[in-house]
Amino acid sequence: MTKSIVFLLFSLTFLEHGLLFPRVSSLGINYGQVGDNLPPPDKVLQLLSSLHINKTRIYDTNPQILTSFANSNIELFVTIENQMLPSLVDPQQALQWVNSRIKPYFPTTKIGGIAVGNELYTDDDSSLIRYLVPAMISIHGALVETGLDKYIQVSTPNSLSVLQESYPPSAGCFRPEVAGIMIQLLGFLHSTKSPFWINAYPYFAYKDSPTKIPIDYVLFNPNAGMVDPYTKYHYDNMLYAQVDAVIFAMARLGYKDIEVGVSETGWPSKGDGDEVGATVSNAAIYNKNLLRRQLQGEGTPLRPNMRLDVYLFALFNEDLKPGPTSERNYGLYQPDETMAYNVGLLSTSSSTSTSSTSIISLTSSASTVCINI
């Protein structure tokens, strides 16, 4: 992937207004496969192409997908499964992985990035995170050895649970227990000019505190928003505030110029009784408003001139995902390729700098329980 990572094209039509919008250049979509009724990869390719999508993320290196997407205009962001990381710390194992999982398909199949694991640190399990950076170094070394490092970036998507504080954004900092690993990770990303990816779901924050968090603030609807008391930046949506909290957290560890991208965000269209806000209406509003923001090429208040790259979660509802009902209902599409709800995507038959504000100076002014390292 290149510096502004996502070159994903959407043909947008907001049907209720009859308006044709130009293509979006900073939005991708996640193509999960945890279902027993999903269309085959060649059908998925047709759907993505009809939507003018040329960027998608998958959660493995499924050879069927890599083969089916050959000679297409769609670039893949592939994933190394979490359980594989301990073995890939070994440089020879990493080289074997690259030679068997990537090299046979590239460049016929466009592979722009490798995600080394997914959400290695969560509140429930952090047993694998110690293997993260060593495995990333080995995979990058294997790409260098095979001459592919010029074309394929190496990073990892992180859960927001890596943050100790996220509100206000200027108080953003990493949990003490992962700060050491984050320093290693940020050093790697800085040296390879790769982005820090975050999976950010304002839905979760709203579900946990629906009486305290205004629904319009999390849905990108017009609202009064909030002003960070230390930076005086105004935030009219939670997603941008979450991203800026990550930027401040990185700055506290000495890294103020690493790009931040959103590797997952979305809203469920259905949930259990206690999953407040998981409705078709809210899902449609969140994703439609997000598309509109991406159309404008917006940055966050802290980095207004740096377009925020986002991967929407997800392409399909996936019926085999464990957990609450919401986990199986994030898709824009049903497995039969009908829309789960309308966000204004028009299927057609043919496809076709950081803000000058000093982040370091702002971090020192925020009152926070975080430790500056």
Side-chain angles (χ1 to χ4, degrees):
M1 289 186 289
T2 55
K3 177 60 180 172
S4 289
I5 295 123
V6 184
F7 297 108
L8 170 65
L9 304 179
F10 263 82
S11 177
L12 294 177
T13 303
F14 287 92
L15 300 178
E16 69 271 30
H17 299 299
L19 298 175
L20 180 65
F21 284 80
R23 293 172 174 177
V24 178
S25 59
S26 57
L27 189 76
I29 196 162
N30 288 276
Y31 167 22
Q33 305 151 55
V34 189
D36 60 5
N37 55 358
L38 298 176
D42 59 331
K43 293 290 187 181
V44 176
L45 174 62
Q46 292 176 19
L47 175 62
L48 295 174
S49 298
S50 74
L51 297 172
H52 299 279
I53 293 174
N54 68 355
K55 203 85 164 185
T56 191
R57 176 183 169 218
I58 61 175
Y59 291 82
D60 53 19
T61 51
N62 186 323
Q64 263 193 305
I65 295 176
L66 295 180
T67 301
S68 296
F69 279 55
N71 300 305
S72 73
N73 289 324
I74 297 176
E75 184 176 287
L76 292 171
F77 185 11
V78 303
T79 304
I80 298 174
E81 296 90 329
N82 289 357
Q83 65 271 20
M84 296 184 66
L85 266 61
S87 64
L88 294 180
V89 171
D90 178 358
Q92 288 305 312
Q93 293 290 325
L95 180 60
Q96 182 180 347
W97 186 90
V98 168
N99 279 330
S100 62
R101 303 294 188 97
I102 302 296
K103 196 173 180 182
Y105 305 98
F106 184 89
T108 306
T109 298
K110 296 181 179 179
I111 301 172
I114 297 172
V116 180
N118 182 58
E119 295 192 349
L120 264 295
Y121 179 84
T122 66
D123 292 329
D124 299 323
D125 181 21
S126 59
S127 60
L128 292 173
I129 195 170
R130 66 183 184 274
Y131 301 108
L132 175 59
V133 178
M136 294 176 73
I137 292 171
S138 292
I139 290 294
H140 181 258
L143 293 175
V144 171
E145 189 168 339
T146 54
L148 300 181
D149 60 302
K150 304 176 186 66
Y151 313 101
I152 302 175
Q153 285 186 327
V154 176
S155 188
T156 187
N158 297 275
S159 164
L160 270 178
S161 63
V162 297
L163 295 182
Q164 174 79 10
E165 297 289 338
S166 61
Y167 181 86
S170 61
C173 61
F174 292 110
R175 291 182 180 274
E177 58 266 36
V178 299
I181 291 171
M182 286 296 139
I183 289 175
Q184 299 172 33
L185 173 59
L186 295 173
F188 172 85
L189 298 178
H190 181 265
S191 66
T192 59
K193 297 181 171 58
S194 301
F196 186 99
W197 289 106
I198 193 78
N199 294 342
Y201 289 89
Y203 160 73
F204 292 140
Y206 177 76
K207 176 180 71 73
D208 292 340
S209 302
T211 60
K212 296 180 180 179
I213 299 175
I215 185 67
D216 288 331
Y217 179 64
V218 291
L219 291 179
F220 293 92
N221 278 336
N223 68 98
M226 60 84 66
V227 174
D228 188 303
Y230 302 101
T231 66
K232 306 306 179 185
Y233 289 142
H234 176 260
Y235 291 86
D236 66 357
N237 70 86
M238 180 175 283
L239 181 65
Y240 288 4
Q242 291 174 333
V243 170
D244 278 359
V246 172
I247 297 173
F248 274 102
M250 294 192 304
R252 281 195 160 81
L253 297 185
Y255 294 91
K256 65 181 187 298
D257 58 354
I258 294 175
E259 183 176 355
V260 175
V262 178
S263 40
E264 290 182 16
T265 192
W267 197 284
S269 59
K270 185 179 180 181
D272 295 322
D274 61 347
E275 294 189 286
V276 180
T279 67
V280 169
S281 175
N282 286 341
I285 292 170
Y286 181 85
N287 288 315
K288 182 179 290 187
N289 284 338
L290 178 60
L291 290 175
R292 284 175 168 148
R293 295 298 185 103
Q294 292 302 110
L295 175 68
Q296 297 166 13
E298 284 189 349
T300 66
L302 187 56
R303 291 179 171 176
N305 299 319
M306 181 178 286
R307 182 184 63 191
L308 179 64
D309 292 319
V310 174
Y311 277 90
L312 187 66
F313 189 88
L315 184 58
F316 294 112
N317 284 334
E318 300 168 68
D319 67 338
L320 296 183
K321 292 197 73 173
T325 297
S326 61
E327 287 295 312
R328 295 174 288 282
N329 289 277
Y330 275 90
L332 297 184
Y333 285 84
Q334 303 287 3
D336 64 1
E337 299 180 57
T338 59
M339 288 188 295
Y341 49 86
N342 178 25
V343 296
L345 291 174
L346 175 65
S347 176
T348 63
S349 59
S350 62
S351 63
T352 56
S353 81
T354 305
S355 168
S356 59
T357 303
S358 171
I359 300 172
I360 292 296
S361 65
L362 293 175
T363 60
S364 62
S365 66
S367 175
T368 173
V369 299
C370 297
I371 301 172
N372 291 308
I373 297 177

